[in-house]
Amino acid sequence: MTATLDTSRSELGDFLRSRRERLTPKAVGLPLGRRRRTPGLRREEVAELAGIGVDWYVRLEQGRSVSPSVTTVDALARALRLSKVEHAHLRDLTRNADRRAFVRETVPEALRRLVEDLNQPAYITGRRWDVLTWNKAADEIFAFGKLPEEDRNVLICILTLPATRRLFGEAWHDQARRVVAQFRATHDLWAADPAFVDLLSRLRRGCPEFGGWWKAHDVREAAAGRKRMAHPKKGVLSFEHASFRAEDDPALKLVIYTPV
């Protein structure tokens, strides 16, 4: 078994445990019974709700070599009251994909020119959320061009750079936690890769709040929305933002900000 697979199973176990500990007996229609030493449901209760063996479920939480069927995964999702996004993440974690080592993506010239020709702020990120290319309008706000290449990463910028904290102001906390939950879905599938290990280490060192958010194991999907920023030179800026995956490479994501 490869290291990537071992770590993916560890992330699977952590994800299941985090969701089990969030539930209460009342939420799933079980009697409270005797006093509980730890929060959430017991492992045997989850196994019963999902209709699977207790030992088998314990093996899943321990990250041991167990490959659940699609039917079992769906049953666990129902037992743990997972959201649609969480259910999809659970399926991804149990697919046991043999992933190659991460390689920083290359943006095709056609996409690069498209971004550069846009009037509104736009940039393209890769699987690890590295900022791979951007236009002048985006640089005027986020100053990607002034950063060393190793810092051109959405998570590094938002979570560790004081300038970005000031840019988002009071909205920084919600914005930062949201991107952590969005990144978690990808990270869990690449957790053993050195590039992702290094990024996680930097985020732990550079953001005091990160450890608590990461422990919560929240997962979210990317969604369009609004952002309000306080730029030191441009003043208060309001944007609607949306992201689009490239047909050339699904790992590439185009992000566009439209002033409102």
Side-chain angles (χ1 to χ4, degrees), residues 157 160-167:
C157 289
T160 72
L161 300 184
T164 311
R165 285 199 181 218
R166 292 192 295 269
L167 183 66

Side-chain angles (χ1 to χ4, degrees), residues 81-127:
R81 304 298 195 266
L82 299 188
S83 68
K84 181 179 178 181
V85 175
E86 291 170 333
H87 190 170
H89 187 54
L90 181 61
R91 285 180 177 175
D92 288 341
L93 285 171
T94 57
R95 281 176 183 157
N96 300 337
D98 183 13
R99 302 185 183 280
R100 299 177 181 178
F102 171 79
V103 176
R104 188 181 177 93
E105 300 86 355
T106 300
V107 179
E109 280 303 313
L111 280 178
R112 191 181 299 275
R113 288 194 298 271
L114 182 151
V115 171
E116 292 174 351
D117 289 343
L118 289 173
N119 293 322
Q120 59 265 57
Y123 55 85
I124 290 178
T125 62
R127 182 177 288 107

Side-chain angles (χ1 to χ4, degrees), residues 66-249:
V66 178
S67 298
S69 66
V70 173
T71 301
T72 299
V73 171
D74 293 346
L76 282 169
R78 290 191 296 271
L80 293 169
R81 304 298 195 266
L82 299 188
S83 68
K84 181 179 178 181
V85 175
E86 291 170 333
H87 190 170
H89 187 54
L90 181 61
R91 285 180 177 175
D92 288 341
L93 285 171
T94 57
R95 281 176 183 157
N96 300 337
D98 183 13
R99 302 185 183 280
R100 299 177 181 178
F102 171 79
V103 176
R104 188 181 177 93
E105 300 86 355
T106 300
V107 179
E109 280 303 313
L111 280 178
R112 191 181 299 275
R113 288 194 298 271
L114 182 151
V115 171
E116 292 174 351
D117 289 343
L118 289 173
N119 293 322
Q120 59 265 57
Y123 55 85
I124 290 178
T125 62
R127 182 177 288 107
R128 205 183 71 132
W129 289 38
D130 298 306
V131 181
L132 304 173
T133 192
W134 60 92
N135 62 10
K136 181 180 179 182
D139 202 38
E140 289 177 350
I141 297 172
F142 302 110
F144 294 133
K146 295 181 179 179
L147 299 174
E149 183 174 335
E150 62 268 22
D151 288 350
R152 292 175 193 157
N153 177 282
V154 172
L155 292 146
I156 292 293
C157 289
I158 291 178
L159 297 177
T160 72
L161 300 184
T164 311
R165 285 199 181 218
R166 292 192 295 269
L167 183 66
F168 286 106
E170 294 181 356
W172 176 85
H173 185 279
D174 291 340
Q175 169 70 9
R177 185 159 192 171
R178 179 179 64 83
V179 298
V180 168
Q182 290 175 350
F183 174 67
R184 187 71 196 244
T186 299
H187 163 274
D188 286 1
L189 306 179
W190 293 81
D193 191 283
F196 282 78
V197 172
D198 176 68
L199 176 59
L200 208 65
S201 178
R202 291 195 62 189
L203 296 176
R204 291 187 188 280
R205 294 196 308 268
C207 179
E209 298 90 345
F210 178 77
W213 296 337
W214 198 249
K215 185 178 180 181
H217 213 136
D218 291 331
V219 290
R220 293 182 59 173
E221 62 182 352
R226 286 199 174 197
K227 290 182 182 177
R228 186 178 176 88
M229 309 174 199
H231 195 273
K233 294 182 179 179
K234 295 178 174 291
V236 177
L237 302 173
S238 295
F239 294 99
E240 287 183 340
H241 63 88
S243 60
F244 310 88
R245 295 205 176 276
E247 291 291 339
D248 306 67
D249 182 352

